[in-house]
Amino acid sequence: MTFDNDISWSNEGINFGISQAVSSTISNVLYVHDTSIHDLATATAEPSIGMSITHQGTSASGITFQNIVIEDTKGSVIAPIKVVNNWLTGAWQMANVKTQPGNPYVLLNPPSDAGIPPISNVTFNDIKVLSSTNSDIAVVSAGSAAPITGVNFNNVSINGTFSYQ
């Protein structure tokens, strides 16, 4: 499946990517030449681009984000680029999640679900985040029961600074 030359505006996160609403296997998806004008969400854990998978039975592989511009994101606790596997276990609002002080990506009480299908082979190529309150890139897993492998970043910049080249 290919999403090509799309423009989005989001009030609640995830402009381009796979969200926790999906509950089946996803593979070979390409997002290319896409632009996010605004991501105004301030409480959701969903990224501007990437994925947040929280359902058992959901796996993702071969997902590529290529030549994407994110013009503006507002949420201070929301990394604009994120890959998450079973981190929230259904509690999608950041306000409902208890994290370690000073680190919004490490849960105090991580989920103990076993057998969460993996996320693998996710690539971010030529990504520009022009303005973001949060300049993090996050790859977050609940642990070995929710594996994430093969995530690659090439030519990714946030607020004019290259995070990965």
Side-chain angles (χ1 to χ4, degrees):
M1 180 178 297
T2 299
F3 297 89
D4 186 359
N5 204 26
D6 296 305
I7 298 173
S8 74
W9 174 307
S10 175
N11 291 330
E12 292 299 328
I14 208 149
N15 285 290
F16 303 110
I18 315 297
S19 80
Q20 59 195 2
V22 174
S23 60
S24 62
T25 299
I26 300 164
S27 61
N28 304 317
V29 179
L30 172 64
Y31 296 88
V32 63
H33 304 114
D34 296 326
T35 300
S36 165
I37 297 172
H38 290 291
D39 183 349
L40 303 176
T42 58
T44 179
E46 302 282 12
S48 288
I49 63 169
M51 57 192 63
S52 177
I53 294 177
T54 59
H55 293 288
Q56 289 187 346
T58 302
S59 65
S61 66
I63 312 300
T64 300
F65 300 91
Q66 174 75 41
N67 195 16
I68 293 180
V69 175
I70 301 169
E71 292 184 359
D72 185 36
T73 64
K74 297 293 184 194
S76 62
V77 296
I78 303 165
I81 300 171
K82 188 188 292 186
V83 177
V84 180
N85 200 0
N86 195 42
W87 184 65
L88 297 175
T89 344
W92 67 278
Q93 294 287 341
M94 291 296 287
N96 296 336
V97 178
K98 303 286 189 228
T99 61
Q100 289 184 3
N103 191 337
Y105 308 117
V106 178
L107 293 177
L108 286 176
N109 299 303
S112 59
D113 295 338
I116 302 301
I119 294 174
S120 61
N121 303 320
V122 179
T123 302
F124 297 87
N125 288 323
D126 300 318
I127 308 297
K128 291 181 184 175
V129 181
L130 302 180
S131 176
S132 180
T133 306
N134 182 327
S135 61
D136 294 342
I137 292 174
V139 178
V140 183
S141 172
S144 60
I148 299 174
T149 59
V151 178
N152 297 292
F153 300 93
N154 303 298
N155 199 25
V156 174
S157 69
I158 300 176
N159 296 330
T161 302
F162 281 97
S163 300
Y164 294 91
Q165 293 188 35

mmCIF file of all heavy atoms in Angstrom, residues 3 5 34 56 66 109 142 147 149 151 155 160:
data_model
loop_
_atom_site.group_PDB
_atom_site.id
_atom_site.type_symbol
_atom_site.label_atom_id
_atom_site.label_comp_id
_atom_site.label_asym_id
_atom_site.label_seq_id
_atom_site.Cartn_x
_atom_site.Cartn_y
_atom_site.Cartn_z
ATOM 1 N N PHE A 3 0.949 5.568 0.214
ATOM 2 C CA PHE A 3 0.322 6.866 0.440
ATOM 3 C C PHE A 3 1.281 7.883 -0.151
ATOM 4 O O PHE A 3 2.381 8.068 0.372
ATOM 5 C CB PHE A 3 0.101 7.110 1.929
ATOM 6 C CG PHE A 3 -0.831 6.125 2.567
ATOM 7 C CD1 PHE A 3 -0.350 4.940 3.100
ATOM 8 C CD2 PHE A 3 -2.184 6.385 2.625
ATOM 9 C CE1 PHE A 3 -1.208 4.021 3.690
ATOM 10 C CE2 PHE A 3 -3.060 5.482 3.211
ATOM 11 C CZ PHE A 3 -2.564 4.290 3.746
ATOM 12 N N ASN A 5 2.044 11.799 -1.793
ATOM 13 C CA ASN A 5 1.690 13.189 -2.006
ATOM 14 C C ASN A 5 0.426 13.608 -1.243
ATOM 15 O O ASN A 5 -0.449 14.288 -1.775
ATOM 16 C CB ASN A 5 1.545 13.482 -3.509
ATOM 17 C CG ASN A 5 1.753 14.948 -3.807
ATOM 18 O OD1 ASN A 5 2.439 15.653 -3.086
ATOM 19 N ND2 ASN A 5 1.140 15.418 -4.885
ATOM 20 N N ASP A 34 4.863 13.172 1.488
ATOM 21 C CA ASP A 34 3.719 13.609 2.280
ATOM 22 C C ASP A 34 4.105 14.813 3.141
ATOM 23 O O ASP A 34 5.264 14.984 3.507
ATOM 24 C CB ASP A 34 3.225 12.476 3.172
ATOM 25 C CG ASP A 34 2.704 11.285 2.373
ATOM 26 O OD1 ASP A 34 2.131 11.507 1.286
ATOM 27 O OD2 ASP A 34 2.867 10.142 2.834
ATOM 28 N N GLN A 56 -2.687 -7.084 20.894
ATOM 29 C CA GLN A 56 -2.162 -8.400 20.580
ATOM 30 C C GLN A 56 -2.704 -8.803 19.221
ATOM 31 O O GLN A 56 -3.826 -8.474 18.866
ATOM 32 C CB GLN A 56 -2.583 -9.411 21.639
ATOM 33 C CG GLN A 56 -1.872 -9.200 22.952
ATOM 34 C CD GLN A 56 -2.182 -10.306 23.939
ATOM 35 O OE1 GLN A 56 -3.108 -11.074 23.752
ATOM 36 N NE2 GLN A 56 -1.407 -10.377 24.987
ATOM 37 N N GLN A 66 9.205 8.136 3.557
ATOM 38 C CA GLN A 66 10.197 8.678 2.628
ATOM 39 C C GLN A 66 9.805 10.075 2.181
ATOM 40 O O GLN A 66 8.681 10.292 1.732
ATOM 41 C CB GLN A 66 10.286 7.768 1.396
ATOM 42 C CG GLN A 66 11.154 8.261 0.266
ATOM 43 C CD GLN A 66 12.628 8.104 0.573
ATOM 44 O OE1 GLN A 66 13.049 7.102 1.129
ATOM 45 N NE2 GLN A 66 13.404 9.103 0.221
ATOM 46 N N ASN A 109 5.289 1.368 35.680
ATOM 47 C CA ASN A 109 4.733 0.014 35.756
ATOM 48 C C ASN A 109 4.476 -0.497 34.349
ATOM 49 O O ASN A 109 3.348 -0.444 33.853
ATOM 50 C CB ASN A 109 3.420 0.030 36.552
ATOM 51 C CG ASN A 109 3.627 0.507 37.968
ATOM 52 O OD1 ASN A 109 4.423 -0.060 38.699
ATOM 53 N ND2 ASN A 109 2.934 1.570 38.347
ATOM 54 N N ALA A 142 7.682 -2.370 25.278
ATOM 55 C CA ALA A 142 7.385 -2.824 26.627
ATOM 56 C C ALA A 142 8.423 -3.837 27.102
ATOM 57 O O ALA A 142 8.394 -4.267 28.236
ATOM 58 C CB ALA A 142 5.992 -3.429 26.691
ATOM 59 N N PRO A 147 8.936 -7.078 20.837
ATOM 60 C CA PRO A 147 10.190 -6.697 20.181
ATOM 61 C C PRO A 147 10.033 -5.689 19.044
ATOM 62 O O PRO A 147 9.045 -5.689 18.331
ATOM 63 C CB PRO A 147 10.712 -8.030 19.642
ATOM 64 C CG PRO A 147 9.491 -8.872 19.469
ATOM 65 C CD PRO A 147 8.541 -8.454 20.558
ATOM 66 N N THR A 149 12.692 -4.388 15.952
ATOM 67 C CA THR A 149 13.999 -4.587 15.334
ATOM 68 C C THR A 149 14.048 -3.918 13.970
ATOM 69 O O THR A 149 13.023 -3.709 13.333
ATOM 70 C CB THR A 149 14.319 -6.089 15.145
ATOM 71 O OG1 THR A 149 13.297 -6.678 14.330
ATOM 72 C CG2 THR A 149 14.377 -6.819 16.481
ATOM 73 N N VAL A 151 14.906 -0.798 12.869
ATOM 74 C CA VAL A 151 14.415 0.562 12.644
ATOM 75 C C VAL A 151 15.604 1.407 12.177
ATOM 76 O O VAL A 151 16.638 1.462 12.852
ATOM 77 C CB VAL A 151 13.786 1.166 13.913
ATOM 78 C CG1 VAL A 151 13.320 2.595 13.665
ATOM 79 C CG2 VAL A 151 12.628 0.303 14.396
ATOM 80 N N ASN A 155 18.982 10.675 7.115
ATOM 81 C CA ASN A 155 18.718 12.061 6.740
ATOM 82 C C ASN A 155 17.430 12.588 7.398
ATOM 83 O O ASN A 155 16.501 13.025 6.729
ATOM 84 C CB ASN A 155 18.663 12.210 5.215
ATOM 85 C CG ASN A 155 18.846 13.642 4.781
ATOM 86 O OD1 ASN A 155 19.452 14.438 5.487
ATOM 87 N ND2 ASN A 155 18.301 13.979 3.624
ATOM 88 N N GLY A 160 15.765 21.897 12.308
ATOM 89 C CA GLY A 160 16.966 22.311 11.591
ATOM 90 C C GLY A 160 18.232 21.572 11.983
ATOM 91 O O GLY A 160 19.295 21.834 11.431
#
